[in-house]
Coordinates of all heavy atoms in Angstrom, one line a residue:
A8 N -23.0 16.9 4.2 CA -22.5 16.3 5.5 C -21.3 17.0 6.1 O -20.8 16.6 7.1 CB -22.1 14.9 5.2
G9 N -20.9 18.2 5.5 CA -19.9 19.0 6.0 C -18.5 18.8 5.4 O -17.5 19.4 5.8
H10 N -18.5 18.0 4.2 CA -17.1 17.8 3.6 C -17.1 18.8 2.4 O -18.0 19.2 1.9 CB -17.1 16.4 3.1 CG -17.1 15.4 4.2 ND1 -16.2 15.1 5.1 CD2 -18.2 14.6 4.5 CE1 -16.6 14.3 6.0 NE2 -17.8 13.8 5.6
K11 N -15.8 19.2 2.0 CA -15.6 20.1 1.0 C -15.7 19.5 -0.4 O -15.9 20.2 -1.4 CB -14.3 20.9 1.1 CG -13.1 20.0 0.9 CD -11.7 20.8 1.0 CE -10.6 19.8 0.7 NZ -9.3 20.5 0.6
A12 N -15.6 18.1 -0.5 CA -15.7 17.4 -1.7 C -16.1 16.0 -1.4 O -16.3 15.6 -0.3 CB -14.4 17.5 -2.4
L13 N -16.0 15.1 -2.5 CA -16.3 13.7 -2.3 C -15.4 13.1 -1.3 O -14.1 13.6 -1.2 CB -16.1 12.9 -3.5 CG -17.1 13.1 -4.7 CD1 -16.8 12.4 -5.9 CD2 -18.5 12.9 -4.2
V14 N -15.8 12.2 -0.5 CA -15.0 11.5 0.5 C -14.5 10.2 0.0 O -15.3 9.4 -0.5 CB -15.8 11.3 1.8 CG1 -15.0 10.6 2.9 CG2 -16.4 12.6 2.3
A15 N -13.2 9.9 0.2 CA -12.7 8.6 -0.3 C -13.2 7.5 0.6 O -13.3 7.7 1.8 CB -11.1 8.7 -0.3
P16 N -13.3 6.3 0.0 CA -13.8 5.1 0.8 C -12.6 4.8 1.8 O -11.4 5.2 1.5 CB -13.9 4.0 -0.2 CG -14.2 4.7 -1.4 CD -13.5 6.1 -1.4
P17 N -12.9 4.1 2.9 CA -11.9 3.8 3.9 C -10.6 3.1 3.4 O -9.5 3.5 3.9 CB -12.6 2.9 4.8 CG -14.0 3.3 4.7 CD -14.2 3.6 3.2
T18 N -10.7 2.3 2.4 CA -9.5 1.6 1.9 C -8.8 2.4 0.7 O -7.8 1.9 0.2 CB -9.8 0.2 1.5 OG1 -10.8 0.2 0.5 CG2 -10.3 -0.6 2.7
Y19 N -9.3 3.5 0.4 CA -8.7 4.2 -0.8 C -7.2 4.5 -0.6 O -6.4 4.4 -1.6 CB -9.4 5.6 -0.9 CG -8.8 6.5 -2.0 CD1 -9.1 6.3 -3.3 CD2 -7.9 7.5 -1.7 CE1 -8.5 7.1 -4.3 CE2 -7.3 8.3 -2.6 CZ -7.7 8.1 -3.9 OH -7.1 9.0 -4.9
L20 N -6.7 4.8 0.6 CA -5.3 5.1 0.8 C -4.3 3.9 0.5 O -3.1 4.2 0.4 CB -5.1 5.5 2.2 CG -5.5 7.0 2.4 CD1 -5.2 7.4 3.9 CD2 -4.9 8.0 1.5
V21 N -4.9 2.8 0.2 CA -4.0 1.6 -0.2 C -3.3 2.0 -1.5 O -2.1 1.6 -1.8 CB -4.8 0.3 -0.3 CG1 -5.7 0.3 -1.5 CG2 -3.8 -0.8 -0.3
T22 N -4.0 2.8 -2.3 CA -3.5 3.2 -3.6 C -2.2 4.1 -3.5 O -1.3 4.1 -4.3 CB -4.6 4.0 -4.6 OG1 -4.9 5.2 -3.9 CG2 -5.7 3.1 -4.8
I23 N -2.2 4.9 -2.5 CA -1.0 5.7 -2.1 C 0.0 5.0 -1.3 O 1.2 5.1 -1.6 CB -1.5 7.1 -1.5 CG1 -2.4 7.8 -2.4 CG2 -0.3 7.9 -1.0 CD1 -3.1 9.0 -1.8
A24 N -0.4 4.3 -0.3 CA 0.5 3.6 0.6 C 1.4 2.6 -0.2 O 2.5 2.5 0.0 CB -0.2 2.9 1.7
Q25 N 0.7 1.9 -1.2 CA 1.5 0.9 -1.9 C 2.6 1.5 -2.8 O 3.6 0.9 -3.1 CB 0.5 0.0 -2.7 CG -0.2 -1.0 -1.8 CD -0.9 -2.0 -2.6 OE1 -1.3 -1.9 -3.7 NE2 -1.3 -3.1 -1.9
R26 N 2.3 2.7 -3.3 CA 3.4 3.4 -4.0 C 4.5 3.7 -3.2 O 5.7 3.5 -3.6 CB 2.8 4.7 -4.7 CG 1.7 4.4 -5.7 CD 1.2 5.7 -6.2 NE -0.1 5.5 -6.9 CZ -0.9 6.5 -7.3 NH1 -0.5 7.8 -7.1 NH2 -2.0 6.3 -7.9
A27 N 4.3 4.1 -1.9 CA 5.4 4.4 -1.0 C 6.1 3.0 -0.6 O 7.3 3.0 -0.5 CB 4.9 5.1 0.2
E28 N 5.3 2.0 -0.4 CA 5.8 0.7 0.0 C 6.7 0.1 -1.1 O 7.5 -0.8 -0.8 CB 4.7 -0.2 0.5 CG 4.0 0.2 1.7 CD 2.7 -0.4 1.8 OE1 2.2 -1.3 1.1 OE2 1.9 0.0 2.8
A29 N 6.5 0.6 -2.3 CA 7.3 0.1 -3.4 C 8.8 0.3 -3.1 O 9.7 -0.4 -3.5 CB 6.9 0.6 -4.7
L30 N 9.1 1.4 -2.3 CA 10.5 1.7 -2.0 C 11.1 0.5 -1.1 O 12.2 0.2 -1.3 CB 10.5 3.0 -1.2 CG 10.2 4.3 -2.0 CD1 10.1 5.5 -1.0 CD2 11.1 4.5 -3.1
V31 N 10.3 -0.1 -0.3 CA 10.7 -1.2 0.5 C 10.9 -2.4 -0.4 O 11.9 -3.1 -0.3 CB 9.7 -1.5 1.6 CG1 10.2 -2.7 2.5 CG2 9.5 -0.2 2.5
V32 N 9.9 -2.7 -1.2 CA 9.9 -3.9 -2.0 C 11.1 -3.8 -3.0 O 11.7 -4.9 -3.2 CB 8.6 -4.0 -2.9 CG1 8.7 -5.1 -4.0 CG2 7.5 -4.2 -1.9
H33 N 11.5 -2.7 -3.5 CA 12.6 -2.6 -4.3 C 14.0 -2.3 -3.7 O 15.0 -2.4 -4.3 CB 12.4 -1.4 -5.4 CG 11.2 -1.7 -6.3 ND1 11.2 -2.8 -7.1 CD2 10.0 -1.2 -6.4 CE1 10.0 -2.9 -7.8 NE2 9.3 -1.8 -7.3
D34 N 14.0 -2.3 -2.4 CA 15.3 -2.2 -1.6 C 16.0 -3.5 -1.6 O 15.4 -4.5 -1.2 CB 14.9 -1.8 -0.2 CG 16.1 -1.6 0.7 OD1 17.2 -2.0 0.3 OD2 16.0 -0.9 1.8
P35 N 17.2 -3.5 -2.3 CA 17.9 -4.8 -2.3 C 18.1 -5.5 -0.9 O 18.2 -6.7 -0.8 CB 19.2 -4.4 -2.9 CG 19.1 -3.1 -3.6 CD 17.9 -2.4 -2.8
D36 N 18.3 -4.7 0.1 CA 18.4 -5.2 1.5 C 17.2 -5.9 2.0 O 17.3 -6.7 2.8 CB 18.8 -4.1 2.5 CG 20.2 -3.6 2.2 OD1 21.0 -4.3 1.6 OD2 20.5 -2.5 2.7
A37 N 16.0 -5.6 1.4 CA 14.7 -6.2 1.9 C 14.6 -7.6 1.3 O 13.9 -8.5 1.9 CB 13.6 -5.3 1.5
K38 N 15.3 -7.9 0.3 CA 15.3 -9.2 -0.4 C 13.9 -9.8 -0.6 O 13.5 -10.8 -0.2 CB 16.1 -10.2 0.5 CG 17.5 -9.8 0.6 CD 18.3 -10.9 1.2 CE 19.8 -10.5 1.5 NZ 20.5 -10.0 0.4
V39 N 13.1 -8.9 -1.3 CA 11.7 -9.2 -1.6 C 11.6 -9.7 -3.0 O 11.9 -8.9 -4.0 CB 10.7 -8.1 -1.4 CG1 9.4 -8.4 -1.8 CG2 10.7 -7.7 0.0
D40 N 11.2 -11.0 -3.2 CA 10.9 -11.5 -4.6 C 9.4 -11.3 -4.7 O 8.6 -12.1 -4.1 CB 11.3 -12.9 -4.7 CG 11.0 -13.6 -6.0 OD1 10.2 -13.0 -6.8 OD2 11.3 -14.8 -6.2
F41 N 9.0 -10.3 -5.5 CA 7.6 -10.0 -5.5 C 6.7 -11.1 -6.0 O 5.5 -11.2 -5.8 CB 7.4 -8.6 -6.3 CG 6.1 -8.0 -5.9 CD1 5.9 -7.3 -4.7 CD2 5.0 -8.0 -6.8 CE1 4.7 -6.8 -4.3 CE2 3.8 -7.4 -6.5 CZ 3.6 -6.8 -5.3
S42 N 7.3 -12.0 -6.8 CA 6.5 -13.2 -7.3 C 6.2 -14.1 -6.2 O 5.3 -15.0 -6.4 CB 7.3 -13.9 -8.5 OG 8.4 -14.6 -7.9
R43 N 6.8 -14.0 -5.0 CA 6.5 -14.8 -3.9 C 5.8 -14.1 -2.7 O 5.8 -14.6 -1.6 CB 7.9 -15.4 -3.4 CG 8.6 -16.1 -4.5 CD 9.7 -17.0 -4.0 NE 9.4 -18.1 -3.2 CZ 8.7 -19.2 -3.5 NH1 8.3 -19.4 -4.7 NH2 8.4 -20.0 -2.6
V44 N 5.2 -12.9 -3.0 CA 4.6 -12.1 -2.0 C 3.1 -12.4 -1.9 O 2.4 -12.4 -3.0 CB 4.9 -10.6 -2.3 CG1 4.0 -9.7 -1.4 CG2 6.3 -10.3 -2.0
V45 N 2.6 -12.5 -0.7 CA 1.2 -12.5 -0.4 C 0.9 -11.4 0.5 O 1.6 -11.1 1.6 CB 0.8 -13.8 0.3 CG1 -0.7 -13.8 0.7 CG2 1.1 -15.0 -0.6
H46 N -0.1 -10.6 0.3 CA -0.4 -9.5 1.2 C -1.2 -10.0 2.3 O -2.3 -10.5 2.3 CB -1.4 -8.5 0.4 CG -1.4 -7.2 1.1 ND1 -2.4 -6.2 0.7 CD2 -0.7 -6.6 1.9 CE1 -2.2 -5.1 1.4 NE2 -1.2 -5.3 2.2
A47 N -0.6 -10.0 3.5 CA -1.0 -10.6 4.8 C -2.0 -9.8 5.5 O -2.9 -10.3 6.2 CB 0.1 -11.1 5.6
D48 N -1.8 -8.5 5.6 CA -2.6 -7.7 6.5 C -2.5 -6.2 6.1 O -1.5 -5.8 5.5 CB -2.1 -7.8 8.0 CG -3.0 -7.2 9.0 OD1 -4.3 -7.2 8.8 OD2 -2.5 -6.6 9.9
Q49 N -3.6 -5.4 6.3 CA -3.6 -4.0 6.0 C -4.5 -3.4 7.0 O -5.6 -3.9 7.3 CB -4.2 -3.8 4.6 CG -4.1 -2.4 4.1 CD -2.8 -2.1 3.4 OE1 -2.3 -2.9 2.6 NE2 -2.2 -1.0 3.7
R50 N -4.0 -2.3 7.6 CA -4.8 -1.6 8.7 C -4.7 -0.1 8.4 O -3.7 0.4 8.1 CB -4.4 -1.9 10.0 CG -4.5 -3.3 10.4 CD -3.8 -3.7 11.7 NE -3.8 -5.1 11.8 CZ -4.1 -5.8 12.9 NH1 -4.5 -5.2 13.9 NH2 -4.0 -7.1 12.9
F51 N -5.8 0.6 8.7 CA -5.8 2.1 8.4 C -6.3 2.8 9.8 O -7.3 2.4 10.4 CB -6.8 2.4 7.4 CG -6.6 1.7 6.1 CD1 -7.1 0.5 5.8 CD2 -5.8 2.4 5.1 CE1 -6.8 -0.2 4.6 CE2 -5.6 1.8 3.8 CZ -6.1 0.5 3.6

């Protein structure tokens, strides 16, 4: 199909984005109690 290797599924990047978003979650100024978090929306 013209790709150099396997193609990741459309939502694969959640695995990388959430690692980056952990910086926000752990920022004391964000005041995020992760036990009270619900994932409301995700768009790519």
Side-chain angles (χ1 to χ4, degrees):
H10 302 285
K11 68 178 184 175
L13 292 180
V14 179
T18 56
Y19 174 83
L20 284 181
V21 73
T22 64
I23 295 171
Q25 285 186 341
R26 293 177 196 173
E28 292 161 5
L30 295 172
V31 179
V32 170
H33 296 296
D34 181 345
D36 290 340
K38 298 188 185 307
V39 175
D40 175 354
F41 202 71
S42 70
R43 305 195 59 75
V44 168
V45 175
H46 198 197
D48 189 38
Q49 188 89 43
R50 298 169 192 230
F51 302 86

